Amino acid sequence: DTAVSQTPKYLVTQMGNDKSIKCEQNLGHDTMYWYKQDSKKFLKIMFSYNNKELIINETVPNRFSPKSPDKAHLNLHINSLELGDSAVYFCASSPGGAYTDTQYFGPGTRLTVL
Amino acid sequence: KQEVTQIPAALSVPEGENLVLNCSFTDSAIYNLQWFRQDPGKGLTSLLLIQSSQREQTSGRLNASLDKSSGRSTLYIAASQPGDSATYLCAVSRSGGGADGLTFGKGTHLIIQP
């Protein structure tokens, strides 16, 4: 069974469009994250959610909005896509709560903005 | 602001050799340190997690050490195999618990020659 899953795996779209990436974890974890891996393969935290509350927003443009309908899901919505948004986006989860533990990563979504 | 540096950026060695990957971080106030493996086009797989109170962790042919006061960690791979070829990422979680994201290094791209 897949622990952390993301859809779609690949996403190609035009500049200015709005798109969403979905993430689901079946580990019962309390905390979920979104990371961005740029063209130079550098991974950087974007958001984390703990019990439906946003914990971190690392200077991400407000065109990006995480949405968590429940503890098992953290979707990423992106408005007015720009060329610089092209990257691989990874979702992750961890037990969270009072301690930060091993983070489990999804397979990634490769976003290409034309 | 925490910065994580990994040296070398790339490494190519013959099969069977023992090797060491290095990671350093600028802020010693970490909660834990994780080593991940990333295969081309894939997500991240957690290899080892060292809590800030620990000095090392071992899993099979892998041994990770942590010297928190000097801001350094090493990943030792014994008897390397072609299947070990991947990018190895070091990441730290800042102290205080809670739902913190990880700060990653840029990785070491490892090639094991058959």
Side-chain angles (χ1 to χ4, degrees):
Chain A
D1 285 342
T2 303
V4 182
S5 60
Q6 296 179 227
T7 54
K9 187 172 176 64
Y10 300 97
L11 183 54
V12 181
T13 188
Q14 299 287 333
M15 263 196 320
N17 285 349
D18 303 339
K19 291 293 179 185
S20 292
I21 306 172
K22 295 185 177 181
C23 178
E24 176 180 2
Q25 55 96 2
N26 62 7
L27 298 168
H29 287 168
D30 286 331
T31 309
M32 296 182 71
Y33 310 81
W34 277 105
Y35 290 85
K36 177 180 179 180
Q37 188 171 43
D38 61 25
S39 58
K40 296 182 179 179
K41 307 297 184 186
F42 190 40
L43 262 168
K44 192 171 182 180
I45 181 72
M46 298 177 70
F47 303 104
S48 70
Y49 253 77
N50 181 287
N51 292 325
K52 291 192 172 183
E53 292 186 45
L54 180 66
I55 303 298
I56 301 173
N57 182 336
E58 293 285 330
T59 64
V60 173
N62 58 14
R63 296 183 296 102
F64 291 79
S65 55
K67 299 187 189 302
S68 180
D70 55 59
K71 198 173 80 166
H73 297 83
L74 181 64
N75 303 324
L76 182 64
H77 190 74
I78 315 170
N79 291 325
S80 303
L81 279 156
E82 300 177 357
L83 293 176
D85 298 332
S86 295
V88 181
Y89 292 84
F90 287 98
C91 176
S93 72
S94 71
Y99 299 95
T100 303
D101 213 326
T102 300
Q103 293 194 12
Y104 296 83
F105 281 73
T109 295
R110 181 174 294 277
L111 171 64
T112 303
V113 182
L114 303 174
Chain B
K1 180 184 174 184
Q2 179 74 271
E3 291 185 5
V4 179
T5 303
Q6 290 188 244
I7 295 173
L11 182 63
S12 180
V13 300
E15 179 179 5
E17 284 199 5
N18 303 324
L19 55 99
V20 175
L21 308 182
N22 296 291
C23 172
S24 61
F25 45 95
T26 55
D27 184 353
S28 63
I30 65 168
Y31 192 83
N32 61 42
L33 182 145
Q34 287 185 240
W35 282 94
F36 291 87
R37 167 186 175 138
Q38 184 174 26
D39 293 284
K42 301 287 181 64
L44 279 68
T45 301
S46 180
L47 298 173
L48 290 164
L49 180 146
I50 310 177
Q51 300 288 357
S52 62
S53 58
Q54 297 174 323
R55 299 283 296 188
E56 66 177 334
Q57 283 285 338
T58 298
S59 175
R61 293 182 295 108
L62 305 178
N63 176 277
S65 68
L66 173 63
D67 185 341
K68 185 180 164 185
S69 60
S70 68
R72 297 185 183 197
S73 174
T74 61
L75 178 67
Y76 175 82
I77 303 177
S80 58
Q81 303 171 358
D84 295 331
S85 298
T87 296
Y88 289 80
L89 295 160
C90 168
V92 297
S93 171
R94 60 182 182 224
S95 65
D100 290 338
L102 296 171
T103 301
F104 281 86
K106 294 188 177 182
T108 293
H109 181 56
L110 177 64
I111 297 175
I112 307 299
Q113 306 154 11

